[in-house]
Amino acid sequence: MIRRLCCVQSQSSTFTFTTTTNKKKPVVLLGAPQVSTIVLDALLTASASPHSSFEVAAIVTQPPARRDRGKKLSLSPLANFALERGFSSHLIFTPQRAGDDTFLSDLKALQPQLCITAAYGNILPTKFLDIPPSVNIHPSLLPIYRGAAPVQRALQDGVKETGVSLAFTVRALDAGPVIATETIQVDDHIKAPDLLELLFHKGSKLLIRELPSIFDGSARANAQPQDDSKATLAPKIGPDESWLSFDQEASVLHNKVRAFSGWPGSRVKILVADKNGQNKTLEIKIITTRVCTHKSVQFNEADDISFVNGALVFPCGRGTTLEVLELQLPGKKAVNAAAFWNGLRGQKLKKI
């Protein structure tokens, strides 16, 4: 079954499209999460220019999914944004798979001159790639960090420099010839959601700048093949990776907290000891950290967690220490370390 927003069609049915009478080149955007809306906004704004040579003919996104703990079906952020911008619901497609024959037939009927992927999340089969040329906005400097989580893995590795690539889409994962890139310096404290948003803003500008060369074929002629020998992978993040181990150095943990901000988050279990010596285990989500600069922090015992200058200070591997500035208890709102410490009312904290 192929699904179109606000309309479900059987495999045997067909869609009727109105043929465009102007000379603008139809493009199709594929995406789903919030960062995809950055690209759509840039495309819609540029296409509204009197001198624009293209128009957004359709949007392809993920099917409605259960959010808010499964209570209701919700549209993807890209679909919601498109509707808010006045995009026709009949031109928002939500196929289960990009290789669905009915979907591909409907896509061909639009006669797109270009497909653009921006965090779409589905693998594009060969029969999709055979329809029009396709380009992808990928938030890394290809060929490094190919895969599902380039921004998160880059931050986890503590990189000082990253960027965004505009590349032609091929069957192999993120391996197409690169049209253009932009490099940025990475702040030591930026988190994955903020860096991802920044890179998609940069990538959208690259896309709009390069569209004329993509349409006239010069981008294809000038695109640089990737050096596969230099490729690195950025595999999808699993929920089990969220646990922190304080046997590692503070800088490693700080980078992991930044990388996993948003999802899946970074979690630890600690012991809370009351004045009577009774212990209980507490699971907390670490929100914001920094590598400790206090050389004179003293711990009564090796596993003690102290409070210094508004931060919880955790002893880590190789004699390093990590400051936790913001944290969250299960089912609670995030709070700063001072508020959490004051709520302990004299109880002591220890690492597990």
Side-chain angles (χ1 to χ4, degrees), residues 69-89:
R69 300 182 180 178
K71 292 181 181 179
K72 61 180 181 179
L73 283 172
S74 299
L75 304 177
S76 74
L78 181 62
N80 276 322
F81 182 79
L83 292 173
E84 291 171 3
R85 287 292 300 264
F87 204 82
S88 171
S89 62

Side-chain angles (χ1 to χ4, degrees), residues 121-172:
N122 278 2
I123 295 174
L124 299 179
T126 301
K127 57 184 178 180
F128 176 94
L129 297 175
D130 287 341
I131 296 175
S134 297
V135 298
N136 179 43
I137 298 173
H138 186 77
S140 82
L141 296 173
L142 292 170
I144 60 174
Y145 296 114
R146 293 176 178 175
V151 169
Q152 294 91 332
R153 296 305 183 187
L155 286 179
Q156 188 178 6
D157 289 344
V159 300
K160 301 299 182 183
E161 182 180 271
T162 189
V164 61
S165 302
L166 180 66
F168 285 104
T169 308
V170 297
R171 190 68 180 89

Side-chain angles (χ1 to χ4, degrees), residues 244 246 269-271 280-282 303 305 350-352:
L244 299 182
F246 289 101
K269 288 183 178 180
I270 59 176
L271 283 180
K280 66 177 180 180
T281 301
L282 190 64
D303 291 333
I305 300 167
K350 291 182 176 290
K351 297 188 305 178
I352 295 181

Side-chain angles (χ1 to χ4, degrees), residues 76-115:
S76 74
L78 181 62
N80 276 322
F81 182 79
L83 292 173
E84 291 171 3
R85 287 292 300 264
F87 204 82
S88 171
S89 62
H90 294 289
L91 294 175
I92 300 176
F93 297 95
T94 59
Q96 292 288 345
R97 297 178 305 277
D100 184 282
D101 288 337
T102 305
F103 162 66
L104 291 177
S105 176
D106 298 330
L107 184 65
K108 288 179 182 178
L110 289 171
Q111 299 181 330
Q113 297 296 299
L114 179 68
C115 285

Side-chain angles (χ1 to χ4, degrees), residues 19-35:
T19 302
T20 303
T21 57
N22 62 30
K23 295 181 180 180
K24 288 195 172 186
K25 297 176 175 65
V27 302
V28 175
L29 175 65
L30 296 86
Q34 191 64 37
V35 290

